[in-house]
Amino acid sequence: MSTVQISAADVNKLRQQTGAGMMDCKKALTESNGDFEAAVDYLRKKGAKVAASRQDRDSNEGVVIAKTTADGKKGVVVEVNCETDFVAKNADFIAFADAIAAKAIETNPASLEDLLAQELNGTKISDLILDQTGKIGEKIGVSKYEVIEAEKVVAYIHGNYRLGVLVGLNQDAAGVDEAGKDVAMQIAAMSPVGVDKDDVDARVIERELEIAKEQIRAEGKPEEMVEKIAAGKLNKFYKEQTLLNQEFVKDSSKDIRAFLNGVSNGLTVKSFKRVVLGA
């Protein structure tokens, strides 16, 4: 047992430094004979133990953060998870997730693993996650990391950090920022499967055609009409499920392709990312 006198000021200092609870800080200082560095290590080890004990827990709550660089040429979206909605709404937790996204913007990591290896204030993000786990007492993790680079990238966060969208556009002209936000809101609401017809996975197309053919045959249509009617249903699928062919939710008289071209001649979407919390 430590013989060093642990003052309330010492406990408060460690608490301010680490964010850990008062009793945990007092115990850490006591176990470490008042050595602040050792006490921090003690708390971090405690976080690792808590994380290990939480491995089988579900962490489907959390926040989705979407950000772009100052010049709007690159955007990232990250999902940082916890176990409860209560923690997800905590300002410190949101700030932690935002700092991770900002680090991704700054360092351009090649993968999620690379992102977790980046340092925030001298500590690896993976270690900070352990710290947060120990501090909060819930399983914390980063589950998604997506990047888009384009002439203009627009970021949008929907529904109290529950959905994040990045839109990559081929121009940076007057009105593109506002148009990009409109398109991002469209993506959030309509969940397209691709930018255009060519982006739809061949397996998805095959499945849609097979479903359509079975429906047509079930209606008793002659076999020689099946292919033609199925092709028509596939075109309807493209119109409903691919971004540029979708009706613009703010003006159903035009599709997204026409809307963008009306903002600036030739303006179009090159790529997008849509990340939904827990999906």
Side-chain angles (χ1 to χ4, degrees):
M1 180 65 69
S2 170
T3 58
V4 176
Q5 188 69 31
I6 306 300
S7 69
D10 289 336
V11 173
N12 189 55
K13 180 181 175 182
L14 183 61
R15 188 180 185 188
Q16 293 297 319
Q17 184 178 335
T18 64
M22 183 177 69
M23 295 307 295
D24 286 334
C25 287
K26 184 175 181 180
K27 185 174 182 181
L29 285 166
T30 300
E31 294 290 333
S32 307
N33 288 316
D35 184 325
F36 268 80
E37 190 172 336
V40 170
D41 287 346
Y42 175 92
L43 289 169
R44 292 186 65 188
K45 289 173 184 174
K46 178 179 181 292
K49 289 177 182 176
V50 172
S53 71
R54 291 270 168 170
Q55 284 308 303
D56 294 331
R57 297 291 292 267
D58 290 330
S59 54
N60 294 325
E61 285 295 337
V63 295
V64 178
I65 306 289
K67 277 183 173 296
T68 64
T69 50
D71 63 5
K73 303 296 184 187
K74 184 180 77 174
V76 304
V77 58
V78 298
E79 179 178 339
V80 183
N81 301 104
C82 56
E83 293 179 29
T84 64
D85 185 51
F86 176 78
V87 168
K89 291 179 178 177
N90 181 275
D92 289 340
F93 180 79
I94 295 169
F96 176 61
D98 192 74
I100 292 174
K103 179 56 67 171
I105 284 286
E106 176 191 336
T107 59
N108 198 29
S111 64
L112 177 55
E113 291 72 23
D114 269 355
L115 173 58
L116 295 175
Q118 302 301 313
E119 291 189 354
L120 274 174
N121 301 319
T123 303
K124 283 185 179 181
I125 291 174
S126 57
D127 290 334
L128 289 174
I129 288 170
L130 289 179
D131 296 347
Q132 287 289 312
T133 298
K135 173 184 171 182
I136 296 170
E138 289 192 7
K139 182 181 178 181
I140 308 297
V142 181
S143 59
K144 297 190 190 80
Y145 164 57
E146 300 284 357
V147 183
I148 280 184
E149 294 189 53
E151 189 60 30
K152 182 65 178 182
V153 181
V154 176
Y156 172 66
I157 300 172
H158 180 75
N160 199 24
Y161 300 101
R162 300 188 76 83
L163 189 159
V165 175
L166 296 175
V167 184
L169 299 144
N170 67 334
Q171 296 179 19
D172 186 5
V176 168
D177 268 314
E178 186 176 348
K181 185 175 180 182
D182 281 339
V183 173
M185 292 171 70
Q186 172 99 14
I187 292 165
M190 303 304 292
S191 188
V193 298
V195 175
D196 206 347
K197 297 177 182 180
D198 293 340
D199 300 306
V200 182
D201 189 294
R203 290 170 296 182
V204 174
I205 295 172
E206 185 178 345
R207 185 173 70 246
E208 290 299 319
L209 279 172
E210 285 305 311
I211 291 171
K213 289 175 184 177
E214 288 303 315
Q215 289 173 341
I216 296 160
R217 290 181 180 118
E219 292 168 2
K221 296 290 193 296
E223 191 63 29
E224 61 268 20
M225 294 180 63
V226 169
E227 291 291 339
K228 184 177 180 180
I229 298 173
K233 284 181 176 287
L234 185 61
N235 283 330
K236 183 182 179 184
F237 169 81
Y238 287 139
K239 182 177 174 60
E240 293 175 348
Q241 300 296 332
T242 57
L243 177 63
L244 294 177
N245 302 294
Q246 284 181 343
E247 287 184 357
F248 182 30
V249 292
K250 284 191 169 184
D251 182 357
S252 61
S253 70
K254 60 184 74 172
D255 59 21
I256 293 295
R257 179 182 279 105
F259 161 64
L260 288 173
N261 198 61
V263 173
S264 176
N265 188 40
L267 177 63
T268 192
V269 174
K270 303 301 290 183
S271 61
F272 70 84
K273 299 291 183 184
R274 182 180 186 272
V275 173
V276 182
L277 180 67

